[in-house]
Amino acid sequence: MSGPRLRPDHRDSLSSFQYKGMVASKWAMIRPFFLILTLHSLAIYLFTRGFLLTRTELSSFSHCSDKSQSPCSIPSPTNNANASFLGDHPPKSESNGQCWTRPAVDRLVIIILDALRFDFVAPSFFFEEKKPWMDKLEVLQKLASNDRTSSRIFKAIADPPTTSLQRLKGLTTGGLPTFIDVGNSFGAPAIVEDNLIFQLANNGKRVLMMGDDTWVKLFPHHFNESYPYPSFNVKDLDTVDNGVIEHLLPSLLRDDWDVLIAHFLGVDHAGHIYGVDSTPMIAKLEQYNNILEEVVQVLKNQSGSGALHENTLLVVMGDHGQTLNGDHGGGTAEEVETSLFAMSLKNPPAPVATVLDKNYCHLDLDGKKICIGTFQQLDFAVTMASLLGIPFPFGSIGRINPELYALTGRTWETHNQCAEKFGSHSTLESWMLNYVSSLCVNTWQVKRYIDLYSMTSVIGLPAEDLRYINVLYSQAQGSWLDIMKFALSSENGTNIRITDNTASVLQRQIDSYSRFLEGVAELARFAWTEFNLMLMGFGLCVMLTSLCVHLYSIRTVHGLCKSYYPFSGSSASLRILTVIFLVAIRAVSFLSNSYILAEGRVASFLLGTSGILNLWFSSDTGEVAVEDLLFLVLNIIIRFSIESGISKETIGSSSSIVHSFGSTDIEKGWSLMIGLLELLPILALSILVVLIYIIISRNSFWKRLKHFYTMGNILCCMLMSVHWIVESNIIAASEELKNFGKTFAPRIIYSIGLLHFVLLALSLTINKKYIVPVSNPTDALAIVATSMLSAWSSTILILLGRQGPNVALVCILGAWCITRLKWAAQVDAESGTATGPIFNPMPVLQWSLLAVCLFFYTGHWCTFDGLRYAAAFIGFEHFNIVQQGILLAIDTFGVSHIIPVLSIPFLVISKHQISKKKHPDGLLFINLTQAFLIYGLITAFTTTLTIICVTIQRRHLMVWGLFAPKYVFDVLGLLVTDVLICVGSLFYY
């Protein structure tokens, strides 16, 4: 499979491409691609190691005995008024079972409703407009309204990124999530640092878990009993939920557990597949409402004196929110705002209203006041640990939430040794004393962690910020120390009341502790991740070096091209400068977070600008080509599709409509319209089949495998139609047909594509003439490129869903316009031949911009909530990290990388077919090398600017919610591009 030989009279100018003497071979042409891939891989590895370092996870764990080291331990009374508060000999743990704090609840029930939006729980009158999905969880709203002293709704705020694994890790460790954990969302590793679940198990608490199997992956040896169910099949709305329902209610009547965790997934999966505004979502919320009614009823029936749930706390919460399209992972308000509902079975006294009614309140339709508090998910671990009386996780930096702490009746009882020294006091003062004592331990624990982290971490925390934190801590503990010393001072053993109002003194102390804890949380959010600037610098330098290698390779190939046909002209220079200007505009735009958010629109604008330039350059000929106008119209369609979010919102809505069609009565006219909408993808697919047949059949040289590839593609299209019709539920199909359409049809399509690819590789390796029985290199290249696209296209189409045929038509029309532009051949007319992309790189740039537009057109975004997880389960019901990972990667990079890169040969083929002169055989492949290098350079340059951007913005507020995901997507896209160019060069040369 040797490459084309160049004309002998030009051998002296081709020294950089020599191989085995003076003969240029395909390996000499391919070598720069592999060198560039190696440099990019090294640069990305180094920069990533420096930029995406996780925070240092300390191996320390909290123990009950640690409290003796804190300034919060209460010494025994002494007649010496000047005795040290800490004492020379710290007291031992109390003998009543108290560890760090006195247990306030006996049992804890945690029900997690995955992806629970705030407006799923909060009453609709808290919002400007009522939506169909609001007020479905009525049982929680009624409890918050009728039992205001023991039940409360909170707006819970999560820290991005909002993937489930990171949220569960943050909830249980009390720390902030680290960005690098996103990569583990499909394969959750066990948590090795101190956490709430470990403390429960280590302190004799029996934990029962049911639902999402991520829990048993994170905590493989901590549950006394567990009922895990596979969680990654987003098309399955019921398996996990039904499993939880089966075990939840019976478990509530058992006494062999202390903490019960039930994790439902239906709402999360319904959002991913159908969106928030959909019938399946509303059905799921109504189902949850019925389940929660039964749970509350069981708990209340067992809440009497001495009963099983006399002192139980119920917590219903979400781990994160979701957008209207059902996505999550980013840092938008919809994604980070979720809900938490808490109900204590042991009612607190009436003064609890003074703590709780500071919240945002409204009157419901019955005139009853309902209030909503605010809860930071960062506070969850330490709050639960405090209520259960176990040590706080060592790495927790949260604060004990005062409102949740006040809901439990036992926190209002006088049981603090310090309280006795204060003399008589009100119920509110008793609660404040208990809360201040818990906050004292909370503050000491956070300070202990920050000190150890700063000493052991490679970089640590900024010295100035640490000094500020130390000042806040000294002030807080110093004032509490003074209060306790005064309260414990006595003459002749008599108690002395603090002269100032006790409540105001305690409130100032609470504020002092809160300022310290809020300061630590703010510092951690700002400087949690450690950046290794040296590794980042090395990575950036290697990346810049790769650009130099790119440019040198292009210059060398340019010299080869000029050796065939010397050419110079001002028009070529103008086109090259125009391309450089457009690429620079797009790359520099990444320095702004607003332009990153609008990247799809920016790419569409630049693509439209290049289309206008088409008209301007072609105006020299005195006529306007049809291709120029069609290209502008096509760009307008793409722009409006990106603006309206056609792929995500339309797919979700369409699926929702179809789902409801099978379960509700709809008027005949409406059902007819739905049927027509479902047939549109089939119609577009039929047009696509005709185009494929025409394209393949026009290659008359392709005799041996043409019919095989044609029939394979037609069969794939037929199987796609079956798959979509069966999924639509429009026609009544037997279970066998449904199973075939949903499972086996996609698998057959994958198999046909793989078979095409393997057959092509074997044919080119064993006997190239078997598949390419022609001597004309242009026709041979067209056959191999068509075969390669045939192998990939069917798999990509079915993963795109019903939008696939439309996307394919847009792609084909866009490619046709770019390759047939009149002004693209103008340089050829001046030189008399096809001079190659270096003289006219505009088509390559347009092809690159079209690929970017198609990425956003198909519903993808450069954030993790832009991943279309449902595509990974087309044809599969169960999760396998390898097969689902491959399908997700193909769906993500299919139309934006795989198809565009493998189609680059057609940009060169079209120029050689348009040109009337006969070209040397070697020129075709030199032009192809030029096209590959220019396309790769455009991608590499924009990625380099992304790297520079995240380096500059590494302390930006949106670094983890926006800049880091953009970096990950761009560098992965660059590596995919490099690999595809290398693979393509092996097949095409």
Side-chain angles (χ1 to χ4, degrees):
M1 197 164 57
S2 62
R5 295 178 180 269
L6 303 179
R7 287 170 44 181
D9 55 328
H10 296 297
R11 288 177 182 174
D12 292 339
S13 64
L14 308 182
S15 58
S16 61
F17 280 90
Q18 290 176 348
Y19 181 75
K20 291 184 179 181
M22 300 298 293
V23 180
S25 71
K26 80 166 187 176
W27 299 109
M29 288 188 181
I30 290 173
R31 191 178 299 118
F33 301 141
F34 284 91
L35 175 60
I36 290 169
L37 171 61
T38 303
L39 289 175
H40 286 167
S41 300
L42 178 61
I44 291 169
Y45 172 78
L46 292 173
F47 190 88
T48 302
R49 285 293 303 271
F51 177 63
L52 294 185
L53 287 175
T54 61
R55 61 182 173 85
T56 302
E57 292 186 353
L58 304 184
S59 58
S60 302
F61 288 78
S62 298
H63 302 89
C64 281
S65 58
D66 295 345
K67 186 185 176 184
S68 62
Q69 306 168 14
S70 77
C72 307
S73 301
I74 307 303
S76 301
T78 177
N79 291 328
N80 182 4
N82 297 321
S84 170
F85 177 66
L86 290 174
D88 296 330
H89 303 285
K92 297 181 180 179
S93 300
E94 299 181 24
S95 59
N96 60 357
Q98 177 175 342
C99 187
W100 284 17
T101 58
R102 184 172 184 267
V105 297
D106 297 328
R107 311 185 91 193
L108 175 63
V109 178
I110 302 175
I111 297 178
I112 299 177
L113 307 181
D114 208 289
L116 185 70
R117 285 170 57 99
F118 174 61
D119 55 7
F120 284 169
V121 177
S124 58
F125 50 77
F126 277 86
F127 304 93
E128 295 182 358
E129 181 182 359
K130 181 175 180 179
K131 301 293 184 180
W133 57 84
M134 295 181 181
D135 297 332
K136 300 304 176 184
L137 298 178
E138 294 179 346
V139 59
L140 303 183
Q141 297 178 4
K142 290 179 180 178
L143 289 169
S145 176
N146 297 332
D147 303 329
R148 289 178 43 240
T149 59
S150 60
S151 302
R152 182 61 41 130
I153 293 174
F154 296 88
K155 175 190 283 187
I157 309 299
D159 289 287
T162 48
T163 58
S164 293
L165 178 141
Q166 288 178 299
R167 286 291 79 237
L168 294 183
K169 188 172 183 179
L171 285 169
T172 54
T173 62
L176 292 173
T178 51
F179 181 84
I180 202 68
D181 289 334
V182 174
N184 294 322
S185 291
F186 278 112
I191 294 178
V192 295
E193 62 180 320
D194 199 1
N195 59 82
L196 179 65
I197 306 301
F198 170 82
Q199 290 296 341
L200 289 171
N202 197 49
N203 289 274
K205 301 294 184 182
R206 301 160 297 175
V207 185
L208 170 62
M209 194 287 303
M210 57 192 71
D212 186 348
D213 63 350
T214 304
W215 285 90
V216 295
K217 296 176 183 177
L218 293 174
F219 312 102
H221 309 296
H222 297 79
F223 300 117
N224 293 75
E225 191 175 353
S226 61
Y227 302 97
Y229 298 90
S231 58
F232 283 110
N233 186 359
V234 293
K235 296 189 295 183
D236 185 354
L237 274 60
D238 301 313
T239 298
V240 177
D241 290 356
N242 292 340
V244 174
I245 294 169
E246 178 184 353
H247 297 286
L248 178 56
L249 294 176
S251 297
L252 292 176
L253 301 175
R254 293 161 44 187
D255 61 356
D256 59 349
W257 56 266
D258 300 299
V259 177
L260 185 151
I261 300 173
H263 193 145
F264 290 85
L265 279 176
V267 161
D268 179 69
H269 289 185
H272 281 304
I273 299 299
Y274 303 105
V276 171
D277 189 6
S278 64
T279 301
M281 177 64 76
I282 294 174
K284 267 295 166 187
L285 291 173
E286 292 174 345
Q287 180 190 24
Y288 287 173
N289 186 69
N290 296 332
I291 295 169
L292 292 174
E293 280 184 341
E294 296 183 44
V295 169
V296 171
Q297 190 62 42
V298 170
L299 293 177
K300 286 190 172 183
N301 290 341
Q302 298 288 326
S303 64
S305 178
L308 193 60
H309 295 292
E310 177 186 6
N311 190 27
T312 295
L313 177 67
L314 170 66
V315 176
V316 180
M317 62 184 297
D319 54 348
H320 50 73
Q322 59 177 299
T323 65
L324 291 179
N325 297 320
D327 300 320
H328 58 86
T332 64
E334 289 181 308
E335 294 167 284
V336 300
E337 291 180 359
T338 180
S339 299
L340 185 145
F341 169 84
M343 181 185 73
S344 173
L345 276 300
K346 187 176 182 66
N347 295 332
V352 70
T354 59
V355 178
L356 299 180
D357 286 353
K358 298 176 182 179
N359 301 304
Y360 184 46
C361 302
H362 268 305
L363 296 179
D364 61 15
L365 297 179
D366 298 326
K368 296 180 180 179
K369 184 163 67 172
I370 182 170
C371 300
I372 291 180
T374 301
F375 184 91
Q376 296 289 334
Q377 284 195 351
L378 187 68
D379 303 337
F380 180 80
V382 66
T383 303
M384 294 299 107
S386 174
L387 294 175
L388 290 166
I390 61 175
F392 307 161
F394 190 88
S396 171
I397 58 172
R399 179 189 68 151
I400 300 173
N401 184 273
E403 299 164 51
L404 199 52
Y405 189 82
L407 281 179
T408 56
R410 195 175 288 173
T411 59
W412 294 81
E413 299 173 359
T414 302
H415 55 75
N416 195 310
Q417 187 176 347
C418 294
E420 299 173 1
K421 295 296 178 180
F422 271 89
S424 60
H425 46 269
S426 66
T427 304
L428 176 62
E429 291 169 349
S430 294
W431 176 85
M432 296 179 75
L433 277 169
N434 294 332
Y435 183 57
V436 168
S437 299
S438 296
L439 271 186
C440 179
V441 180
N442 187 182
T443 302
W444 163 77
Q445 163 55 34
V446 172
K447 181 62 165 57
R448 179 176 71 157
Y449 169 70
I450 291 296
D451 287 344
L452 184 60
Y453 183 88
S454 300
M455 289 187 296
T456 58
S457 178
V458 177
I459 299 177
L461 298 170
E464 183 178 349
D465 293 324
L466 282 177
R467 284 194 294 270
Y468 174 70
I469 292 299
N470 289 333
V471 170
L472 291 179
Y473 179 78
S474 299
Q475 292 174 349
Q477 292 293 25
S479 61
W480 182 238
L481 191 65
D482 293 340
I483 293 173
M484 290 298 97
K485 281 183 178 179
F486 187 79
L488 294 172
S489 299
S490 60
E491 293 185 12
N492 301 323
T494 58
N495 296 333
I496 298 177
R497 287 277 295 179
I498 294 179
T499 55
D500 199 359
N501 180 269
T502 302
S504 62
V505 171
L506 295 175
Q507 185 59 54
R508 286 197 297 270
Q509 189 60 38
I510 291 173
D511 295 339
S512 183
Y513 281 140
S514 297
R515 280 194 298 272
F516 167 78
L517 294 170
E518 290 169 0
V520 171
E522 183 179 355
L523 170 62
R525 287 189 175 98
F526 174 76
W528 194 252
T529 301
E530 302 170 356
F531 299 109
N532 190 321
L533 297 180
M534 182 177 295
L535 283 178
M536 292 172 65
F538 283 149
L540 181 57
C541 289
V542 175
M543 196 69 193
L544 294 173
T545 302
S546 74
L547 294 182
C548 296
V549 172
H550 238 129
L551 292 171
Y552 176 78
S553 300
I554 291 176
R555 180 184 176 185
T556 304
V557 178
H558 177 47
L560 294 178
C561 193
K562 289 179 67 175
S563 69
Y564 280 98
Y565 293 100
F567 171 80
S568 62
S570 59
S571 60
S573 300
L574 178 60
R575 290 174 175 83
I576 294 173
L577 291 175
T578 302
V579 168
I580 293 174
F581 179 70
L582 293 177
V583 173
I585 288 178
R586 178 167 182 262
V588 173
S589 70
F590 296 156
L591 295 172
S592 167
N593 61 304
S594 300
Y595 279 98
I596 291 178
L597 290 171
E599 184 180 0
R601 296 194 291 270
V602 171
S604 176
F605 170 79
L606 295 177
L607 185 64
T609 302
S610 70
I612 295 174
L613 290 174
N614 292 346
L615 291 174
W616 181 53
F617 283 124
S618 62
S619 62
D620 294 341
T621 63
E623 60 179 79
V624 177
V626 176
E627 294 88 346
D628 295 335
L629 297 177
L630 179 59
F631 186 76
L632 288 177
V633 172
L634 197 63
N635 182 67
I636 293 173
I637 294 174
I638 293 174
R639 176 60 182 265
F640 278 105
S641 300
I642 294 174
E643 289 281 358
S644 61
I646 180 174
S647 55
K648 286 174 131 181
E649 293 180 301
T650 304
I651 289 171
S653 304
S654 154
S655 302
S656 173
I657 292 173
V658 173
H659 188 281
S660 62
F661 174 73
S663 57
T664 58
D665 293 330
I666 303 177
E667 296 180 2
K668 292 183 178 180
W670 178 243
S671 63
L672 178 62
M673 187 183 73
I674 294 175
L676 292 175
L677 288 175
E678 287 300 314
L679 290 177
L680 283 179
I682 311 298
L683 178 61
L685 192 61
S686 303
I687 298 173
L688 187 61
V689 170
V690 173
L691 288 176
I692 292 174
Y693 179 78
I694 293 174
I695 292 172
I696 296 179
S697 62
R698 291 177 68 178
N699 287 308
S700 57
F701 328 101
W702 193 5
K703 297 178 180 178
R704 291 186 174 90
L705 293 178
K706 176 174 67 175
H707 298 295
F708 175 79
Y709 275 86
T710 303
M711 294 306 298
N713 281 283
I714 292 176
L715 177 61
C716 287
C717 292
M718 293 174 62
L719 291 172
M720 280 184 228
S721 300
V722 173
H723 174 72
W724 293 334
I725 291 174
V726 168
E727 276 202 332
S728 67
N729 292 328
I730 287 183
I731 63 172
S734 63
E735 289 299 321
E736 292 78 9
L737 181 58
K738 286 183 179 180
N739 185 51
F740 175 81
K742 291 182 178 180
T743 304
F744 291 102
R747 294 183 185 182
I748 295 174
I749 293 174
Y750 304 150
S751 301
I752 292 175
L754 180 61
L755 180 61
H756 281 183
F757 183 80
V758 172
L759 183 61
L760 177 62
L762 291 176
S763 301
L764 293 175
T765 303
I766 299 172
N767 185 3
K768 185 175 182 179
K769 291 185 178 180
Y770 183 77
I771 190 171
V772 190
V774 294
S775 58
N776 186 337
T778 303
D779 295 331
L781 181 59
I783 292 174
V784 178
T786 303
S787 303
M788 182 68 85
L789 292 176
S790 297
W792 285 96
S793 58
S794 297
T795 298
I796 294 173
L797 279 179
I798 192 170
L799 292 178
L800 287 174
R802 292 177 176 84
Q803 64 175 340
N806 298 328
V807 175
L809 291 176
V810 169
C811 188
I812 291 174
L813 289 175
W816 183 77
C817 291
I818 292 173
T819 57
R820 303 293 297 181
L821 292 175
K822 290 291 184 182
W823 72 271
Q826 188 175 355
V827 176
D828 301 346
E830 296 178 9
S831 62
T833 187
T835 53
I838 189 62
F839 292 105
N840 187 15
M842 184 62 80
V844 182
L845 172 63
Q846 290 177 322
W847 196 231
S848 175
L849 291 174
L850 179 61
V852 175
C853 291
L854 289 176
F855 178 80
F856 293 94
Y857 178 84
T858 51
H860 296 93
W861 305 93
C862 289
T863 56
F864 292 102
D865 58 348
L867 294 173
R868 300 173 63 250
Y869 296 104
F873 290 91
I874 294 177
F876 297 94
E877 295 295 333
H878 303 290
F879 174 75
N880 178 282
I881 190 170
V882 176
Q883 68 186 19
Q884 266 58 65
I886 292 174
L887 292 178
L888 186 62
I890 293 175
D891 173 72
T892 302
F893 298 108
V895 294
S896 59
H897 294 78
I898 298 176
I899 295 298
V901 173
L902 297 180
S903 301
I904 287 177
F906 292 105
L907 296 177
V908 178
I909 292 170
S910 63
K911 292 178 68 66
H912 281 254
Q913 290 176 340
I914 292 174
S915 179
K916 299 178 180 180
K917 283 199 172 188
K918 179 175 175 60
H919 313 296
D921 293 346
L923 184 60
L924 174 70
F925 295 95
I926 291 176
N927 290 161
L928 180 59
T929 302
Q930 286 180 313
F932 275 142
L933 286 172
I934 293 173
Y935 190 94
L937 178 62
I938 292 172
T939 307
F941 182 72
T942 54
T943 303
T944 302
L945 263 292
T946 299
I947 292 175
I948 294 174
C949 167
V950 296
T951 303
I952 296 173
Q953 307 284 13
R954 64 186 183 277
R955 294 300 182 189
H956 193 280
L957 181 64
M958 299 179 67
V959 62
W960 304 123
L962 181 64
F963 293 107
K966 170 63 177 169
Y967 165 77
V968 171
F969 274 82
D970 276 10
V971 297
L972 288 178
L974 176 61
L975 291 178
V976 170
T977 299
D978 289 341
V979 170
L980 289 170
I981 289 176
C982 291
V983 172
S985 63
L986 292 174
F987 277 78
Y988 296 150
Y989 284 36

